[in-house]
Amino acid sequence: MAGRVAQLSLFGVALLIGALLVGQLRSQARPIELANLSPQELSTLIETLSARNAELRDGLADLRDQVSDYERAAAEGQSSLAIGQEDLLRVEAFGGLGAVEGQGIVVEGEGSFDPTSVNDIIQELRNAGADAIAIDDIRITASSVAVLGTSAIEIDGVPIGRAFTVTAIGSPGGLTTAMTREGGLLQLLEQSIQARFTVREDRSLVVPATRRDLTPTAARPVE
Amino acid sequence: MSRRLPPRSRARVGSPRWALSIGLALASIGFVGAAQWNSSTVRQTVISSAQGVLIIQAEQRQREQEQLRAQIEEAEDRVREFQAQSAGSQSATDRLNQDLAAARLAVGLSDVTGPGVVIEIADSTRQVPVGENPSNYFVLADDLRDIVAALWASGAEAIAITGGGGEGGAPAERIVTTTSIYGAGSAILVNQALLSPPFRIEAIGPGDLHERFLANPFYIGRLSLRIETFGLQFASEARDEVRLPAFIGNTRLRWGAPERSD
């Protein structure tokens, strides 16, 4: 009996040590992200998350309207083909399969760019919420990436020269602020590689559809 | 009348080995407990500062984001159900549904599966030398961007990023045309969702995707240098089957519209 009690006690002690050790090891990992951010960084993060949530709410509202349209069409025995066709246009425009018209900015750039700096420009526009982007007449899709070609930087297999035009559809003011801010990417490139940029807002822009076939060959839909 | 313990038990309890074992166990508990208390005290100090209110707000936004994503996913499913059962000309409906399915597949709005690669990258476990910037030893947004660029340039057809190790944690973020990957301090946002390390990047593509990735300049350059110099934890392998979720988020244009051909 005493032996059993001793065994159980040892088991309990070992379990407690194990639990404490696990907790201690976990706490050695990078500290909790949020607690590690400065108030300034937290404010920026909150702003970003709030903006995304606002977009998600808008998107959800549109989807619910679409569901209501389908329900109404079904109740009235009407064809919902028109609703479906609008959805197709939306999906194509979103992903680059269809051209997009709207307002935004045009950035003219010239300099000794490398692929990383071109990709950084694309990324900066995405960070600023651009709906659609083109460099020259190359529509930027999810898989578009600037690489070093045989004699020039290429995007989707198409060379771009020392001078190129970036068209971005999005909030004209928001995109302009993001691209021209003090210490921002364009300013850094102006200083590091002596690039030159002009940024102008435009209320009537067109970003073309991609010329690439985006149909995957290895990836297949989950049934 | 008291009972005497059997001789064997008495010898066991009274033995020096027994006392040593218990002593060591209690000392370990004391040490680890003290270390836990210290680390939780430090964390408590940080959280109770002026950042506390902001942290709560950030966590609220994250929870709201998760709820919105779930609602969007549900609404998308309903739309697809209606599209499948549309009234009207059956051949026109079938054609439209095929076009919609093909478009969704092409732009990241469908769950997909296929051969590919799995890459994991995590912060360095090395001690940061005095005077060095600790951020160098963390996975940065640039590292994830380089991995994604290397994968696309190597022929990947679909990519997703998961934070927190990927298993049972936050949902994976599918990379689509509007995807942004950027850092806010030591935090990284993908599709404006906060992800924490370790990061898992999965991609579907051609059979030699892994080999092509390892030979790609976006991997060999800046990223490999950071892995080697700062000891970022990195592993990659080819997989016969990778499964990626569809993008969940806003797909509506906010400042533009599909161009209509007249």
Side-chain angles (χ1 to χ4, degrees):
Chain A
M1 180 64 187
R4 179 74 51 88
V5 168
Q7 281 173 356
L8 284 172
S9 305
L10 253 183
F11 175 75
V13 163
L15 196 62
L16 184 58
I17 293 172
L20 288 172
L21 272 172
V22 166
Q24 182 59 21
L25 284 171
R26 279 189 179 155
S27 73
Q28 301 291 351
R30 192 199 301 192
I32 296 169
E33 297 288 346
L34 298 182
N36 219 29
L37 300 181
S38 68
Q40 175 67 28
E41 288 165 345
L42 279 166
S43 296
T44 305
L45 178 62
I46 289 166
E47 205 176 295
T48 303
L49 291 172
S50 298
R52 191 198 188 198
N53 290 354
E55 284 172 28
L56 291 177
R57 260 184 249 110
D58 287 345
L60 181 60
D62 283 348
L63 272 169
R64 285 179 171 163
D65 284 346
Q66 199 178 3
V67 169
S68 299
D69 288 343
Y70 274 118
E71 284 171 343
R72 195 166 34 249
E76 294 168 4
Q78 289 175 1
S79 167
S80 52
L81 267 181
I83 307 170
Q85 281 158 354
E86 282 299 310
D87 200 32
L88 180 59
L89 283 175
R90 175 187 62 80
V91 169
E92 289 176 338
F94 166 77
L97 299 174
V100 177
E101 56 188 9
Q103 51 186 310
I105 63 169
V106 177
V107 180
E108 309 276 0
E110 184 177 354
S112 306
F113 297 97
D114 64 4
T116 298
S117 53
V118 175
N119 290 325
D120 284 348
I121 291 172
I122 296 170
Q123 193 62 227
E124 197 76 357
L125 289 165
R126 285 176 173 151
N127 292 349
D131 281 342
I133 304 167
I135 295 185
D136 292 339
D137 61 352
I138 307 163
R139 175 69 176 273
I140 302 301
T141 65
S143 56
S144 298
V145 60
V147 297
L148 200 56
T150 46
S151 58
I153 294 174
E154 293 179 4
I155 300 176
D156 294 349
V158 178
I160 61 171
R162 271 184 56 90
F164 53 79
T165 302
V166 184
T167 307
I169 288 179
S171 160
L175 292 179
T176 301
T177 302
M179 300 308 284
T180 59
R181 64 187 172 90
E182 196 71 26
L185 176 67
L186 296 195
Q187 196 179 76
L188 284 172
L189 290 174
E190 283 169 346
Q191 289 165 1
S192 60
I193 61 171
Q194 286 75 53
R196 288 194 302 276
F197 295 99
T198 60
V199 179
R200 63 176 170 83
E201 297 182 10
D202 198 314
R203 303 285 157 174
S204 178
L205 295 171
V206 175
V207 167
T210 182
R211 292 199 192 94
R212 288 171 59 212
D213 180 0
L214 300 183
T215 309
T217 52
R220 56 191 188 278
V222 171
E223 300 299 334
Chain B
M1 189 162 95
S2 64
R3 281 184 66 193
R4 289 172 67 90
L5 289 168
R8 252 182 15 187
S9 303
R10 281 178 63 200
R12 187 183 298 161
V13 167
S15 76
R17 224 183 300 168
W18 175 258
L20 189 62
S21 305
I22 291 293
L24 278 173
L26 289 171
S28 301
I29 292 171
F31 168 75
V32 176
Q36 276 282 73
W37 174 258
N38 278 341
S39 62
S40 66
T41 301
V42 167
R43 212 175 286 167
Q44 192 61 42
T45 302
V46 170
I47 291 172
S48 61
S49 73
Q51 295 156 293
V53 172
L54 294 172
I55 288 172
I56 290 170
Q57 288 179 4
E59 286 171 346
Q60 278 171 349
R61 301 292 185 284
Q62 278 181 269
R63 278 195 296 276
E64 190 188 340
Q65 193 176 104
E66 285 159 23
Q67 285 164 6
L68 287 166
R69 281 173 60 108
Q71 289 168 358
I72 284 176
E73 198 171 8
E74 199 181 305
E76 292 269 14
D77 284 344
R78 291 222 62 205
V79 166
R80 276 193 274 270
E81 278 169 23
F82 276 115
Q83 284 167 349
Q85 331 157 345
S86 283
S89 157
Q90 197 53 48
S91 62
T93 301
D94 288 347
R95 212 163 37 246
L96 176 62
N97 285 340
Q98 280 168 17
D99 290 345
L100 269 166
R104 288 194 179 112
L105 178 64
V107 305
L109 301 183
S110 296
D111 294 351
V112 287
T113 186
V117 303
V118 175
I119 296 163
E120 294 197 344
I121 185 167
D123 297 344
S124 174
T125 56
R126 289 185 194 167
Q127 195 74 14
V128 179
V130 173
E132 269 210 45
N133 185 353
S135 295
N136 286 332
Y137 294 77
F138 294 159
V139 177
L140 303 175
D142 279 347
D143 299 320
L144 296 186
R145 287 188 205 169
D146 283 346
I147 291 173
V148 169
L151 286 167
W152 287 133
S154 302
E157 296 174 346
I159 302 174
I161 301 178
T162 316
E167 302 294 341
E173 291 293 336
R174 182 76 176 269
I175 307 301
V176 292
T177 194
T178 53
T179 292
S180 64
I181 301 173
Y182 71 96
S186 58
I188 296 180
L189 294 104
V190 178
N191 290 334
Q192 292 165 313
L194 183 64
L195 300 185
S196 55
F199 300 96
R200 183 183 183 94
I201 305 100
E202 296 172 278
I204 296 173
D208 60 350
L209 179 60
H210 189 219
E211 288 74 28
R212 289 164 70 174
F213 167 79
L214 293 174
N216 188 275
F218 286 111
Y219 170 72
I220 293 173
R222 178 170 65 179
L223 179 62
S224 276
L225 189 61
R226 275 184 39 77
I227 290 169
E228 194 181 313
T229 306
F230 302 112
L232 298 179
Q233 300 176 78
F234 183 89
S236 66
E237 64 174 17
R239 289 273 178 95
D240 291 334
E241 193 84 359
V242 173
R243 184 175 169 141
L244 303 181
F247 169 75
I248 302 292
N250 184 36
T251 57
R252 265 69 182 157
L253 301 171
R254 289 151 296 161
W255 296 90
E259 189 189 38
R260 310 276 168 167
S261 48
D262 294 327

